[in-house]
Protein backbone atom coordinates (compact mmCIF):
# COMPACT_ATOMS: atom_id res chain seq x y z
CA UNK A 1 0.00 0.00 0.00
CA UNK A 2 2.74 2.47 0.97
CA UNK A 3 4.49 1.79 -2.36
CA UNK A 4 1.20 2.54 -4.17
CA UNK A 5 0.89 5.80 -2.26
CA UNK A 6 4.43 6.78 -3.18
CA UNK A 7 3.95 5.97 -6.87
CA UNK A 8 0.36 7.18 -7.28
CA UNK A 9 0.22 10.23 -5.03
CA UNK A 10 3.78 11.55 -4.88
CA UNK A 11 4.41 10.62 -1.22
CA UNK A 12 8.02 9.57 -1.81
CA UNK A 13 8.76 9.21 1.90
CA UNK A 14 5.99 6.59 2.32
CA UNK A 15 8.51 4.00 1.12
CA UNK A 16 10.81 4.92 3.96
CA UNK A 17 8.81 4.71 7.18
CA UNK A 18 10.66 1.82 8.83
CA UNK A 19 12.55 4.14 11.21
CA UNK A 20 9.32 5.92 12.22
CA UNK A 21 7.52 2.64 12.83
CA UNK A 22 10.43 1.35 14.93
CA UNK A 23 10.55 4.55 17.00
CA UNK A 24 6.78 4.50 17.56
CA UNK A 25 6.87 0.82 18.51
CA UNK A 26 9.57 1.58 21.02
CA UNK A 27 7.64 4.53 22.44
CA UNK A 28 4.43 2.49 22.75
CA UNK A 29 6.28 -0.66 23.88
CA UNK A 30 4.71 -2.76 21.16
CA UNK A 31 5.18 -6.49 21.60
CA UNK A 32 3.92 -9.48 19.68
CA UNK A 33 1.48 -11.43 21.84
CA UNK A 34 2.59 -14.69 23.35
CA UNK A 35 0.05 -17.31 22.08
CA UNK A 36 -0.30 -18.51 25.70
CA UNK A 37 -1.67 -15.08 26.63
CA UNK A 38 -4.07 -14.56 23.72
CA UNK A 39 -7.00 -16.28 25.40
CA UNK A 40 -8.87 -19.24 23.92
CA UNK A 41 -10.68 -17.11 21.29
CA UNK A 42 -7.36 -16.21 19.66
CA UNK A 43 -6.02 -19.72 20.00
CA UNK A 44 -9.07 -21.12 18.18
CA UNK A 45 -8.52 -18.68 15.29
CA UNK A 46 -4.87 -19.71 15.22
CA UNK A 47 -5.80 -23.41 15.16
CA UNK A 48 -8.44 -22.86 12.46
CA UNK A 49 -6.06 -20.87 10.24
CA UNK A 50 -3.34 -23.50 10.69
CA UNK A 51 -5.77 -26.30 9.77
CA UNK A 52 -6.68 -24.41 6.57
CA UNK A 53 -3.04 -23.55 5.84
CA UNK A 54 -3.61 -19.77 5.67
CA UNK A 55 -1.09 -17.28 6.99
CA UNK A 56 -1.55 -15.25 10.16
CA UNK A 57 0.04 -14.53 13.49
CA UNK A 58 -0.42 -13.24 17.03
CA UNK A 59 -1.14 -9.50 16.94
CA UNK A 60 1.53 -7.01 18.04
CA UNK A 61 0.04 -4.77 20.77
CA UNK A 62 0.96 -1.66 22.73
CA UNK A 63 -0.02 -3.19 26.07
CA UNK A 64 3.01 -4.69 27.76
CA UNK A 65 1.67 -5.01 31.31
CA UNK A 66 -1.72 -6.30 30.15
CA UNK A 67 -3.65 -8.58 32.53
CA UNK A 68 -5.90 -10.01 29.76
CA UNK A 69 -9.27 -8.70 30.99
CA UNK A 70 -10.62 -8.13 27.44
CA UNK A 71 -12.05 -4.72 28.40
CA UNK A 72 -10.05 -2.70 25.84
CA UNK A 73 -13.07 -1.11 24.10
CA UNK A 74 -14.19 0.39 27.40
CA UNK A 75 -10.77 1.94 28.11
CA UNK A 76 -7.93 0.12 29.83
CA UNK A 77 -8.66 0.31 33.59
CA UNK A 78 -4.98 -0.06 34.56
CA UNK A 79 -3.39 1.97 31.74
CA UNK A 80 -1.50 -1.08 30.52
CA UNK A 81 -2.47 0.01 27.03
CA UNK A 82 -0.07 2.75 26.01
CA UNK A 83 -2.65 5.25 24.81
CA UNK A 84 -1.68 8.80 23.87
CA UNK A 85 -2.41 10.05 27.42
CA UNK A 86 0.38 7.89 28.86
CA UNK A 87 2.84 8.10 25.97
CA UNK A 88 3.08 10.97 23.47
CA UNK A 89 1.11 13.62 25.38
CA UNK A 90 3.32 13.56 28.52
CA UNK A 91 6.37 13.66 26.23
CA UNK A 92 4.97 16.67 24.37
CA UNK A 93 4.26 18.47 27.66
CA UNK A 94 7.78 17.70 28.91
CA UNK A 95 9.07 19.26 25.68
CA UNK A 96 7.12 22.47 26.32
CA UNK A 97 3.71 21.84 24.70
CA UNK A 98 0.71 23.40 26.44
CA UNK A 99 -2.54 21.42 26.39
CA UNK A 100 -6.04 22.85 26.73
CA UNK A 101 -8.77 20.23 27.28
CA UNK A 102 -12.46 20.87 26.65
CA UNK A 103 -11.75 23.40 23.92
CA UNK A 104 -13.25 23.34 20.44
CA UNK A 105 -11.36 24.97 17.59
CA UNK A 106 -13.99 26.83 15.61
CA UNK A 107 -11.97 28.39 12.83
CA UNK A 108 -8.50 28.59 11.38
CA UNK A 109 -7.49 32.24 11.05
CA UNK A 110 -5.92 33.22 7.74
CA UNK A 111 -4.30 36.52 6.85
CA UNK A 112 -2.98 37.22 3.37
CA UNK A 113 -3.29 33.59 2.32
CA UNK A 114 -1.33 32.31 5.33
CA UNK A 115 -2.71 30.50 8.41
CA UNK A 116 -1.82 32.58 11.46
CA UNK A 117 -3.77 30.96 14.30
CA UNK A 118 -7.05 29.47 15.49
CA UNK A 119 -10.20 30.74 17.10
CA UNK A 120 -11.40 28.55 19.99
CA UNK A 121 -14.50 28.13 22.08
CA UNK A 122 -14.86 26.80 25.60
CA UNK A 123 -18.36 25.52 26.32
CA UNK A 124 -20.05 27.04 29.33
CA UNK A 125 -21.29 25.10 32.35
CA UNK A 126 -23.27 25.87 35.53
CA UNK A 127 -20.33 27.85 36.95
CA UNK A 128 -19.15 29.90 33.99
CA UNK A 129 -20.48 31.13 30.66
CA UNK A 130 -19.12 30.00 27.28
CA UNK A 131 -16.05 31.90 26.14
CA UNK A 132 -13.84 32.27 23.10
CA UNK A 133 -10.15 33.00 22.65
CA UNK A 134 -7.61 32.93 19.87
CA UNK A 135 -4.19 31.34 19.64
CA UNK A 136 -1.65 32.96 17.31
CA UNK A 137 0.75 30.59 15.58
CA UNK A 138 4.46 31.33 15.76
CA UNK A 139 5.28 29.24 12.68
CA UNK A 140 2.37 27.16 11.42
CA UNK A 141 -1.05 25.74 12.26
CA UNK A 142 -1.31 21.94 12.37
CA UNK A 143 -4.81 20.45 12.24
CA UNK A 144 -5.18 16.92 13.65
CA UNK A 145 -8.91 16.67 14.35
CA UNK A 146 -9.39 13.24 12.71
CA UNK A 147 -11.04 12.29 9.44
CA UNK A 148 -14.35 13.84 10.52
CA UNK A 149 -13.14 16.86 12.52
CA UNK A 150 -10.41 18.00 10.11
CA UNK A 151 -12.64 18.44 7.02
CA UNK A 152 -15.34 19.94 9.23
CA UNK A 153 -12.93 22.56 10.58
CA UNK A 154 -11.38 23.30 7.19
CA UNK A 155 -14.79 23.69 5.51
CA UNK A 156 -16.08 25.86 8.35
CA UNK A 157 -13.00 28.05 7.83
CA UNK A 158 -13.64 28.21 4.08
CA UNK A 159 -10.29 26.56 3.32
CA UNK A 160 -9.13 23.87 0.94
CA UNK A 161 -10.26 22.50 -2.39
CA UNK A 162 -13.06 20.09 -3.38
CA UNK A 163 -11.10 17.13 -2.02
CA UNK A 164 -11.70 18.32 1.55
CA UNK A 165 -14.35 15.96 2.96
CA UNK A 166 -14.35 13.61 -0.04
CA UNK A 167 -12.74 10.14 -0.24
CA UNK A 168 -13.96 8.93 3.16
CA UNK A 169 -12.88 5.34 3.83
CA UNK A 170 -13.83 3.46 6.99
CA UNK A 171 -12.66 -0.18 6.73
CA UNK A 172 -16.20 -1.63 6.93
CA UNK A 173 -16.13 -4.46 9.44
CA UNK A 174 -18.39 -7.06 11.01
CA UNK A 175 -18.30 -9.74 13.64
CA UNK A 176 -18.62 -13.39 12.69
CA UNK A 177 -19.60 -15.24 15.84
CA UNK A 178 -19.55 -18.99 16.41
CA UNK A 179 -20.71 -21.49 18.98
CA UNK A 180 -18.11 -23.99 20.13
CA UNK A 181 -18.81 -27.24 22.03
CA UNK A 182 -16.07 -26.29 24.49
CA UNK A 183 -16.15 -23.29 26.82
CA UNK A 184 -14.20 -20.48 25.12
CA UNK A 185 -14.59 -17.86 27.87
CA UNK A 186 -13.29 -15.29 25.41
CA UNK A 187 -13.28 -12.53 28.02
CA UNK A 188 -10.34 -14.28 29.68
CA UNK A 189 -7.91 -12.98 27.09
CA UNK A 190 -7.12 -9.86 25.14
CA UNK A 191 -9.65 -8.25 22.85
CA UNK A 192 -7.70 -8.48 19.57
CA UNK A 193 -5.39 -11.46 19.59
CA UNK A 194 -4.72 -13.19 16.25
CA UNK A 195 -4.78 -11.93 12.66
CA UNK A 196 -5.25 -13.90 9.44
CA UNK A 197 -3.83 -12.12 6.40
CA UNK A 198 -4.04 -14.97 3.90
CA UNK A 199 -6.79 -13.15 1.96
CA UNK A 200 -5.08 -9.76 1.82
CA UNK A 201 -5.17 -9.80 -1.99
CA UNK A 202 -8.98 -9.83 -1.80
CA UNK A 203 -8.92 -6.85 0.59
CA UNK A 204 -9.83 -8.94 3.63
CA UNK A 205 -8.14 -9.02 7.02
CA UNK A 206 -9.50 -11.28 9.77
CA UNK A 207 -8.82 -10.51 13.42
CA UNK A 208 -9.88 -12.72 16.32
CA UNK A 209 -11.66 -10.12 18.44
CA UNK A 210 -13.61 -10.82 21.59
CA UNK A 211 -15.32 -7.98 23.41
CA UNK A 212 -17.03 -7.83 26.82
CA UNK A 213 -20.70 -8.81 26.82
CA UNK A 214 -21.89 -5.21 27.14
CA UNK A 215 -20.15 -4.40 23.84
CA UNK A 216 -20.19 -7.75 22.04
CA UNK A 217 -23.71 -8.84 22.97
CA UNK A 218 -24.96 -6.72 20.07
CA UNK A 219 -23.90 -9.26 17.45
CA UNK A 220 -25.60 -12.21 19.13
CA UNK A 221 -28.52 -13.63 17.17
CA UNK A 222 -32.21 -13.11 17.66
CA UNK A 223 -34.31 -10.99 19.94
CA UNK A 224 -36.34 -11.64 23.08
CA UNK A 225 -36.04 -15.17 24.45
CA UNK A 226 -33.80 -16.27 21.57
CA UNK A 227 -31.35 -13.46 22.28
CA UNK A 228 -31.50 -14.31 25.98
CA UNK A 229 -30.50 -17.92 25.20
CA UNK A 230 -27.59 -16.67 23.08
CA UNK A 231 -26.52 -14.43 25.97
CA UNK A 232 -26.56 -17.38 28.36
CA UNK A 233 -24.42 -19.25 25.86
CA UNK A 234 -21.78 -16.50 25.80
CA UNK A 235 -19.10 -18.69 27.45
CA UNK A 236 -19.22 -20.94 24.34
CA UNK A 237 -18.99 -18.11 21.82
CA UNK A 238 -15.99 -17.29 19.71
CA UNK A 239 -15.65 -14.28 17.46
CA UNK A 240 -13.63 -13.18 14.46
CA UNK A 241 -13.75 -9.67 13.01
CA UNK A 242 -13.81 -9.22 9.24
CA UNK A 243 -12.26 -5.97 7.96
CA UNK A 244 -12.44 -4.75 4.37
CA UNK A 245 -9.98 -2.50 2.54
CA UNK A 246 -12.82 -0.49 1.02
CA UNK A 247 -12.76 0.97 -2.46
CA UNK A 248 -16.19 2.52 -1.88
CA UNK A 249 -15.92 6.06 -0.59
CA UNK A 250 -18.11 8.45 1.35
CA UNK A 251 -18.13 12.15 2.12
CA UNK A 252 -18.04 14.41 5.17
CA UNK A 253 -19.82 17.76 4.94
CA UNK A 254 -20.52 20.56 7.32
CA UNK A 255 -24.21 21.41 7.56
CA UNK A 256 -25.48 24.98 7.76
CA UNK A 257 -26.08 24.65 11.51
CA UNK A 258 -22.43 23.71 12.10
CA UNK A 259 -23.13 20.01 12.62
CA UNK A 260 -21.56 17.24 10.57
CA UNK A 261 -23.16 15.24 7.74
CA UNK A 262 -21.49 11.93 6.92
CA UNK A 263 -22.58 9.86 3.94
CA UNK A 264 -21.15 6.51 2.90
CA UNK A 265 -22.49 3.83 0.58
CA UNK A 266 -20.95 0.40 0.18
CA UNK A 267 -20.94 -0.62 -3.48
CA UNK A 268 -21.86 -4.12 -4.66
CA UNK A 269 -18.27 -5.14 -5.39
CA UNK A 270 -17.20 -4.26 -1.86
CA UNK A 271 -20.30 -5.98 -0.44
CA UNK A 272 -19.27 -9.14 -2.32
CA UNK A 273 -15.79 -8.89 -0.78
CA UNK A 274 -17.33 -8.64 2.70
CA UNK A 275 -19.42 -11.75 1.99
CA UNK A 276 -16.23 -13.50 0.84
CA UNK A 277 -14.57 -12.45 4.13
CA UNK A 278 -17.50 -13.70 6.23
CA UNK A 279 -17.33 -17.06 4.43
CA UNK A 280 -13.58 -17.33 5.11
CA UNK A 281 -14.09 -16.43 8.79
CA UNK A 282 -16.78 -19.13 8.97
CA UNK A 283 -14.33 -21.65 7.53
CA UNK A 284 -11.70 -20.70 10.12
CA UNK A 285 -14.29 -21.19 12.88
CA UNK A 286 -15.39 -24.56 11.50
CA UNK A 287 -11.80 -25.73 11.03
CA UNK A 288 -11.27 -24.93 14.73
CA UNK A 289 -14.25 -27.06 15.72
CA UNK A 290 -17.21 -24.62 15.84
CA UNK A 291 -20.65 -26.22 15.65
CA UNK A 292 -22.41 -23.23 14.11
CA UNK A 293 -21.57 -19.74 12.85
CA UNK A 294 -23.55 -16.47 13.03
CA UNK A 295 -22.72 -14.38 9.94
CA UNK A 296 -24.54 -11.15 10.88
CA UNK A 297 -26.37 -10.97 7.58
CA UNK A 298 -30.08 -10.17 7.31
CA UNK A 299 -32.08 -13.36 6.74
CA UNK A 300 -29.16 -15.70 7.50
CA UNK A 301 -29.12 -16.43 11.20
CA UNK A 302 -26.95 -19.51 11.32
CA UNK A 303 -24.46 -21.32 9.08
CA UNK A 304 -23.41 -24.94 9.45
CA UNK A 305 -20.32 -26.33 7.68
CA UNK A 306 -22.24 -27.44 4.58
CA UNK A 307 -23.92 -24.03 4.19
CA UNK A 308 -20.83 -21.93 3.40
CA UNK A 309 -20.84 -22.49 -0.38
CA UNK A 310 -24.54 -21.66 -0.79
CA UNK A 311 -24.14 -18.62 1.51
CA UNK A 312 -21.39 -17.31 -0.74
CA UNK A 313 -23.41 -17.99 -3.90
CA UNK A 314 -26.54 -16.19 -2.60
CA UNK A 315 -27.19 -12.66 -3.85
CA UNK A 316 -26.51 -10.67 -0.69
CA UNK A 317 -27.11 -6.94 -1.02
CA UNK A 318 -25.01 -4.26 0.71
CA UNK A 319 -28.01 -3.36 2.87
CA UNK A 320 -28.21 -6.95 4.15
CA UNK A 321 -24.82 -6.65 5.84
CA UNK A 322 -24.56 -5.49 9.42
CA UNK A 323 -21.41 -3.40 9.37
CA UNK A 324 -19.41 -1.09 11.57
CA UNK A 325 -16.51 1.23 10.77
CA UNK A 326 -13.73 1.99 13.26
CA UNK A 327 -11.10 3.62 11.04
CA UNK A 328 -12.24 6.81 9.28
CA UNK A 329 -9.56 8.17 6.94
CA UNK A 330 -8.84 9.91 3.65
CA UNK A 331 -10.92 13.11 3.87
CA UNK A 332 -8.03 15.54 3.27
CA UNK A 333 -5.90 13.20 1.29
CA UNK A 334 -2.39 13.82 0.07
CA UNK A 335 -1.83 14.09 -3.66
CA UNK A 336 0.93 16.03 -5.34
CA UNK A 337 -1.65 17.16 -7.92
CA UNK A 338 -4.18 19.47 -6.20
CA UNK A 339 -6.87 18.17 -8.56
CA UNK A 340 -6.57 14.78 -6.83
CA UNK A 341 -6.15 15.66 -3.19
CA UNK A 342 -6.45 18.30 -0.47
CA UNK A 343 -2.88 18.25 0.84
CA UNK A 344 0.58 18.33 -0.71
CA UNK A 345 3.06 15.50 0.06
CA UNK A 346 4.52 17.52 2.95
CA UNK A 347 1.09 17.55 4.64
CA UNK A 348 0.39 21.23 3.87
CA UNK A 349 -3.06 22.18 2.63
CA UNK A 350 -3.00 23.02 -1.07
CA UNK A 351 -3.67 26.74 -1.47
CA UNK A 352 -3.03 27.94 2.12
CA UNK A 353 0.48 28.65 3.35
CA UNK A 354 1.45 27.66 6.88
CA UNK A 355 -1.40 25.16 7.37
CA UNK A 356 -0.73 21.42 7.79
CA UNK A 357 -2.81 18.31 8.44
CA UNK A 358 -1.41 15.47 10.55
CA UNK A 359 -3.97 12.71 11.04
CA UNK A 360 -5.75 9.86 9.24
CA UNK A 361 -7.35 12.35 6.85
CA UNK A 362 -4.07 12.34 4.90
CA UNK A 363 -4.31 8.72 3.68
CA UNK A 364 -4.90 8.63 -0.08
CA UNK A 365 -6.84 5.32 -0.01
CA UNK A 366 -8.01 2.79 2.57
CA UNK A 367 -4.95 1.44 4.36
CA UNK A 368 -5.96 -2.19 4.87
CA UNK A 369 -4.65 -2.65 8.42
CA UNK A 370 -5.45 -1.01 11.76
CA UNK A 371 -4.15 2.52 11.22
CA UNK A 372 -2.67 3.82 14.45
CA UNK A 373 1.01 3.19 13.68
CA UNK A 374 0.73 4.63 10.18
CA UNK A 375 -1.05 7.73 11.51
CA UNK A 376 1.80 8.25 13.97
CA UNK A 377 4.41 7.72 11.24
CA UNK A 378 2.64 10.20 8.93
CA UNK A 379 2.35 12.75 11.77
CA UNK A 380 6.08 12.42 12.42
CA UNK A 381 6.87 13.00 8.76
CA UNK A 382 4.63 16.07 8.64
CA UNK A 383 6.11 17.31 11.94
CA UNK A 384 9.61 17.15 10.48
CA UNK A 385 8.51 19.20 7.49
CA UNK A 386 6.77 21.78 9.69
CA UNK A 387 9.96 22.09 11.74
CA UNK A 388 12.06 22.34 8.57
CA UNK A 389 9.83 25.08 7.17
CA UNK A 390 9.98 26.97 10.50
CA UNK A 391 13.79 27.00 10.30
CA UNK A 392 13.77 28.51 6.81
CA UNK A 393 13.22 32.25 6.38
CA UNK A 394 9.83 33.04 4.85
CA UNK A 395 9.98 33.03 1.09
CA UNK A 396 8.17 35.56 -1.02
CA UNK A 397 5.53 32.88 -1.66
CA UNK A 398 5.01 32.15 2.03
CA UNK A 399 5.06 35.77 3.17
CA UNK A 400 1.62 37.22 3.94
C1 LIG B 1 -13.42 1.20 19.42
C2 LIG B 1 -12.21 1.49 18.56
C3 LIG B 1 -11.13 0.63 18.60
C4 LIG B 1 -9.99 0.90 17.83
N1 LIG B 1 -8.92 0.04 17.91
C5 LIG B 1 -7.80 0.31 17.19
C6 LIG B 1 -6.66 -0.56 17.25
O1 LIG B 1 -6.64 -1.56 17.98
N2 LIG B 1 -5.58 -0.26 16.49
C7 LIG B 1 -5.55 0.83 15.67
O2 LIG B 1 -4.55 1.02 14.98
N3 LIG B 1 -6.62 1.66 15.59
C8 LIG B 1 -7.73 1.42 16.33
N4 LIG B 1 -8.81 2.26 16.24
C9 LIG B 1 -8.74 3.40 15.32
C10 LIG B 1 -7.93 4.55 15.87
O3 LIG B 1 -8.33 4.84 17.20
C11 LIG B 1 -8.16 5.77 14.97
O4 LIG B 1 -7.96 5.40 13.63
C12 LIG B 1 -7.20 6.90 15.34
O5 LIG B 1 -7.35 7.30 16.68
C13 LIG B 1 -7.44 8.10 14.43
O6 LIG B 1 -6.46 9.05 14.74
P1 LIG B 1 -6.59 10.54 14.25
O7 LIG B 1 -5.42 11.26 14.84
O8 LIG B 1 -6.81 10.58 12.79
O9 LIG B 1 -7.95 11.10 14.91
P2 LIG B 1 -8.50 11.02 16.40
O10 LIG B 1 -7.76 10.02 17.24
O11 LIG B 1 -9.99 10.87 16.26
O12 LIG B 1 -8.14 12.45 17.01
C14 LIG B 1 -8.83 13.62 16.63
C15 LIG B 1 -9.09 14.44 17.89
O13 LIG B 1 -9.49 15.76 17.52
C16 LIG B 1 -10.56 16.18 18.33
N5 LIG B 1 -11.31 17.22 17.59
C17 LIG B 1 -12.10 17.06 16.49
N6 LIG B 1 -12.55 18.25 16.06
C18 LIG B 1 -12.05 19.18 16.92
C19 LIG B 1 -12.17 20.61 17.01
N7 LIG B 1 -12.88 21.32 16.14
N8 LIG B 1 -11.54 21.23 18.05
C20 LIG B 1 -10.79 20.54 18.96
N9 LIG B 1 -10.64 19.18 18.90
C21 LIG B 1 -11.26 18.53 17.89
C22 LIG B 1 -11.34 14.90 18.59
O14 LIG B 1 -12.14 15.06 19.76
C23 LIG B 1 -10.20 13.90 18.76
O15 LIG B 1 -9.76 13.87 20.11
C24 LIG B 1 -9.96 2.04 17.00
C25 LIG B 1 -11.05 2.91 16.96
C26 LIG B 1 -12.16 2.64 17.73
C27 LIG B 1 -13.32 3.61 17.68
S1 LIG C 1 -6.99 -6.64 28.00
FE1 LIG C 1 -7.07 -4.48 27.31
S2 LIG C 1 -8.14 -3.41 29.00
FE2 LIG C 1 -7.45 -5.40 29.85
S3 LIG C 1 -5.42 -4.96 30.78
FE3 LIG C 1 -5.06 -5.65 28.67
S4 LIG C 1 -4.93 -3.74 27.46
FE4 LIG C 1 -5.92 -3.22 29.42
Amino acid sequence: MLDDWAAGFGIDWARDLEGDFAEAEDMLRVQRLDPERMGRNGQLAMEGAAALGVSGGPIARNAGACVQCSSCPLGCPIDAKRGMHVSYLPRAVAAGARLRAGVEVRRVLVEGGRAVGVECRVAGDGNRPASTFTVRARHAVVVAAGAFGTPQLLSRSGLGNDAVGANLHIHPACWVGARYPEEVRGWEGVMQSYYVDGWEAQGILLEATFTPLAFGGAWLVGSGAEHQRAMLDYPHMGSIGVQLTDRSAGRVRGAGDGSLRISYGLDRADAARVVFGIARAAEVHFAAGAAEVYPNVAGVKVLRPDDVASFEAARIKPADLRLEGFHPMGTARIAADPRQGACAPDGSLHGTAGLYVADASLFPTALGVNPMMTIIAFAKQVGRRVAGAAERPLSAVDRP
Side-chain angles (χ1 to χ4, degrees):
M1 185 60 71
L2 295 174
D3 281 342
D4 293 347
W5 290 357
F9 297 89
I11 315 174
D12 296 338
W13 45 263
R15 288 199 182 95
D16 195 23
L17 293 178
E18 286 312 312
D20 294 312
F21 286 139
E23 208 182 295
E25 287 188 3
D26 188 46
M27 178 73 181
L28 299 179
R29 299 185 202 148
V30 172
Q31 292 170 1
R32 198 156 293 284
L33 254 175
D34 174 353
E36 291 296 317
R37 300 182 66 203
M38 290 194 301
R40 189 70 188 131
N41 189 55
Q43 289 166 353
L44 286 166
M46 181 172 71
E47 290 166 16
L52 295 175
V54 281
S55 71
I59 287 177
R61 302 173 75 239
N62 57 335
C66 169
V67 295
Q68 294 116 261
C69 69
S70 185
S71 301
C72 306
L74 309 175
C76 180
I78 58 168
D79 275 345
K81 192 165 184 169
R82 300 274 295 161
M84 297 301 107
H85 63 298
V86 291
S87 55
Y88 282 99
L89 287 181
R91 188 164 90 164
V93 170
R98 289 166 65 195
L99 303 183
R100 289 288 303 265
V103 173
E104 184 191 15
V105 178
R106 292 297 300 165
R107 213 159 55 89
V108 177
L109 303 172
V110 176
E111 291 172 5
R114 182 177 187 87
V116 294
V118 288
E119 184 184 280
C120 306
R121 182 171 69 185
V122 186
D125 57 26
N127 299 317
R128 53 176 189 191
S131 59
T132 60
F133 64 93
T134 61
V135 179
R136 300 285 296 186
R138 250 183 262 164
H139 301 299
V141 174
V142 180
V143 176
F148 297 139
T150 288
Q152 182 181 33
L153 177 59
L154 294 176
S155 315
R156 198 159 58 205
S157 309
L159 299 173
N161 59 24
D162 288 347
V164 171
N167 187 49
L168 171 68
H169 296 283
I170 56 170
H171 285 164
C174 64
W175 313 100
V176 179
R179 188 183 192 290
Y180 285 84
E182 66 174 281
E183 272 206 345
V184 180
R185 298 177 71 84
W187 59 85
E188 292 174 355
V190 303
M191 186 180 92
Q192 288 156 299
S193 48
Y194 191 87
Y195 70 88
V196 178
D197 61 357
W199 295 290
E200 199 182 350
Q202 287 89 346
I204 292 297
L205 178 68
L206 305 185
E207 289 179 64
T209 305
F210 198 95
T211 53
L213 184 60
F215 195 91
W219 58 256
L220 294 176
V221 285
S223 58
E226 190 184 15
H227 191 68
Q228 187 187 28
R229 275 195 298 278
M231 285 267 195
L232 292 171
D233 241 2
Y234 210 51
H236 287 266
M237 296 293 172
S239 163
I240 294 176
V242 176
Q243 180 176 300
L244 173 74
T245 308
D246 46 336
R247 296 178 197 159
S248 312
R251 179 171 260 288
V252 177
R253 281 191 186 82
D257 61 0
S259 64
L260 199 60
R261 296 285 181 273
I262 303 167
S263 54
Y264 183 93
L266 193 77
D267 67 25
R268 282 185 176 269
D270 268 357
R273 279 188 276 276
V274 173
V275 171
F276 172 87
I278 293 172
R280 301 294 77 76
E283 285 173 347
V284 172
H285 275 310
F286 287 131
E292 48 187 40
V293 162
Y294 313 112
N296 261 308
V297 171
V300 192
K301 267 191 192 163
V302 177
L303 296 177
R304 299 205 166 72
D306 290 344
D307 300 334
V308 177
S310 56
F311 167 76
E312 246 186 307
R315 293 175 65 83
I316 294 170
K317 298 190 294 297
D320 294 332
L321 300 168
R322 193 170 161 196
L323 300 173
E324 303 174 34
F326 298 99
H327 305 154
M329 60 201 135
T331 48
R333 79 169 171 187
I334 290 182
D337 182 345
R339 287 168 303 184
Q340 286 180 21
C343 292
D346 63 355
S348 63
L349 191 74
H350 283 302
T352 308
L355 179 56
Y356 294 80
V357 173
D359 58 29
S361 316
L362 292 174
F363 294 174
T365 62
L367 176 65
V369 292
N370 301 38
M372 196 174 95
M373 301 309 280
T374 314
I375 296 169
I376 293 172
F378 265 53
K380 278 169 163 288
Q381 289 283 343
V382 172
R384 264 181 226 123
R385 284 158 178 81
V386 174
E391 280 161 15
R392 285 196 308 274
L394 285 183
S395 68
V397 177
D398 290 333
R399 207 180 297 278

